[in-house]
Amino acid sequence: MLRINLLLLLAVMTSAIFLVHTQYESRRLFTELDRAEAEARRLATDQLRLQVEKRAQAAPQRIETLAREKLQMKQASQAITQYVHETAAGTAQ
């Protein structure tokens, strides 16, 4: 009878330790999942913000302003345009 009681006690203790370990692992994984979801939300927000910034940087009005101010570019006109004509021999004049 003592052997059966010891065997049952050992089985109960093993089961209890396994249960505690499983619950701990479950909580750890849930916390990790929650952190990963928060990181995914943060990254999605960053992606949207960067897309908005990209569209703002590529706006035609901004590009034209930068070309005029920083690069001192001017609108093409007949007065500043030079045409190159090709001769029959294949050389340009």
Side-chain angles (χ1 to χ4, degrees), residues 45-59 62:
T45 303
D46 283 351
Q47 180 185 18
L48 290 174
R49 180 183 55 81
L50 290 171
Q51 285 175 347
V52 168
E53 286 181 17
K54 179 182 173 184
R55 282 193 296 269
Q57 294 293 324
R62 182 179 181 283

Side-chain angles (χ1 to χ4, degrees), residues 18-88:
F18 181 73
L19 178 65
V20 168
H21 175 71
T22 303
Q23 286 179 340
Y24 170 78
E25 193 66 22
S26 173
R27 287 183 185 129
R28 186 185 66 77
L29 290 173
F30 181 76
T31 303
E32 188 176 324
L33 175 66
D34 193 40
R35 285 182 187 149
E37 288 174 345
E39 179 71 10
R41 284 190 299 273
R42 186 187 66 80
L43 290 173
T45 303
D46 283 351
Q47 180 185 18
L48 290 174
R49 180 183 55 81
L50 290 171
Q51 285 175 347
V52 168
E53 286 181 17
K54 179 182 173 184
R55 282 193 296 269
Q57 294 293 324
Q61 183 62 33
R62 182 179 181 283
I63 293 171
E64 185 176 336
T65 302
L66 286 174
R68 288 181 192 271
E69 293 174 2
K70 289 193 175 184
L71 301 176
Q72 288 87 34
M73 296 178 81
K74 298 177 184 170
Q75 191 77 355
S77 69
Q78 296 250 340
I80 61 173
T81 304
Q82 295 180 0
Y83 295 96
V84 178
H85 300 282
E86 187 175 0
T87 61

Side-chain angles (χ1 to χ4, degrees), residues 6-19:
L6 286 175
L7 185 62
L8 289 175
L9 178 64
L10 181 62
V12 167
M13 292 299 288
T14 304
S15 175
I17 290 172
F18 181 73
L19 178 65

